[in-house]
Amino acid sequence: MKLNIGLSPETRKVTVETLSKLLADEFVLFTKTRSAHYNVEGINFHAMHLFFEDQYTQLEQNVDSIAERIRQLGFYAPSSLKQYLELTQLKEATDLKDSKSTTWIPELLKDHETIINFLRNNIETINDSNDMGTADFLTALLEEHEKQAWMLRAHIA
């Protein structure tokens, strides 16, 4: 059925391209944070194991919400690892020297900040295209990433 939501197909396509890149970034960061949860070692293991679990749980919700937003705009969401790796601007966690929280935290923080900057650079453009729903959605994600980045940054002495 044809969508009649006040946005042209071209506008929706451009928005979905942005959302697809964001979805890929979120999925890579989710996977990396889950890896930190699985593999963290050190004297603060228990606290960090739970901390990373809180973080990846929120990221998993982000992934689902972004995919659903893409569907609301009438497109199929990317959903393969191959697609995510082609679309993401983040790097997988394959070259960490160890699995201490002091190694994971700066890596995850850098990724959150990358997503924050991506969101900041795209919210106004999407809002200017008259897609206030997606702009509001992205603003809420921006706030969530700022909070997660703050939590990570608070662990760095």
Side-chain angles (χ1 to χ4, degrees):
M1 176 178 237
K2 185 178 176 185
L3 279 170
N4 184 15
I5 61 172
L7 298 171
S8 71
E10 296 80 23
T11 296
R12 288 185 291 111
K13 183 177 187 284
V14 170
T15 296
V16 166
E17 288 170 359
T18 299
L19 289 171
S20 294
K21 291 175 186 173
L22 177 61
L23 177 60
D25 287 347
E26 294 276 356
F27 193 86
V28 169
L29 181 53
F30 161 76
T31 303
K32 196 183 287 190
T33 306
R34 190 109 193 202
S35 182
H37 166 76
Y38 292 152
N39 295 307
V40 70
E41 298 174 329
I43 192 133
N44 60 352
F45 163 78
H46 188 260
M48 295 312 300
H49 183 73
L50 296 175
F51 173 74
F52 291 136
E53 182 176 5
D54 288 344
Q55 292 242 321
Y56 81 67
T57 299
Q58 179 59 50
L59 291 165
E60 184 176 32
Q61 291 173 5
N62 293 355
V63 166
D64 191 56
S65 295
I66 295 164
E68 288 177 357
R69 185 68 190 163
I70 290 169
R71 293 296 295 138
Q72 291 166 19
L73 294 172
F75 291 82
Y76 290 108
S79 57
S80 74
L81 297 177
K82 181 180 182 203
Q83 288 173 306
Y84 293 148
L85 292 174
E86 289 171 353
L87 290 167
T88 190
Q89 60 186 320
L90 304 181
K91 303 251 188 268
E92 289 185 286
T94 58
D95 59 352
L96 293 174
K97 298 175 211 91
D98 60 51
S99 205
K100 293 183 177 128
S101 63
T102 55
T103 301
W104 283 110
I105 288 172
E107 180 73 16
L108 298 173
L109 175 59
K110 181 180 70 152
D111 289 349
H112 278 281
E113 290 175 341
T114 297
I115 292 173
I116 288 166
N117 286 304
F118 178 82
L119 287 165
R120 234 179 251 299
N121 292 331
N122 285 283
I123 289 170
E124 189 171 337
T125 302
I126 289 172
N127 195 45
D128 288 346
S129 71
N130 205 31
D131 187 354
M132 289 82 66
T134 300
D136 286 348
F137 170 72
L138 294 179
T139 300
L141 281 175
L142 171 68
E143 292 173 5
E144 183 57 41
H145 279 284
E146 288 174 335
K147 181 177 180 182
Q148 287 192 301
W150 165 59
M151 295 285 182
L152 288 162
R153 204 174 296 109
H155 284 88
I156 300 172

